[in-house]
Amino acid sequence: MIERNKITISFLPHDNDLWEFIQNKKETCNLSEYIRSLIREDVNHDTSFIAEETIVEKILQLLQQNGSIINNKDSDTVNHQVQTIEEMKNTINNLF
């Protein structure tokens, strides 16, 4: 006999859109296989690190566009900017 691990998930009352999607999905495919494939995709692609790094980069880009970070080719200013950007990255990462 094959032993199968089982897990139960719950949908909150305001998850109507998810519930409807799942109901439609199970009509067209094996729901267990679908969920396993989603989990497997997350396991194979560590998206959390990429997402965090992307978020930090986007925030820095916005700060630069808003003039909080000034672009200048002077080497002293560039060194100061690199240090400032690293400090900003650390601050942003500490916020999350």
Side-chain angles (χ1 to χ4, degrees), residues 1-7 36:
M1 178 177 199
I2 298 175
E3 182 179 330
R4 296 181 183 190
N5 295 323
K6 292 186 179 188
I7 189 168
R36 286 193 309 270

Side-chain angles (χ1 to χ4, degrees), residues 47-61 86 89 92-93:
T47 57
S48 61
F49 176 75
I50 294 169
E52 290 172 9
E53 196 60 34
T54 302
I55 290 169
V56 171
E57 292 299 323
K58 294 282 185 193
I59 291 171
L60 289 173
Q61 285 175 1
E86 287 304 314
K89 280 184 179 182
I92 293 167
N93 283 325

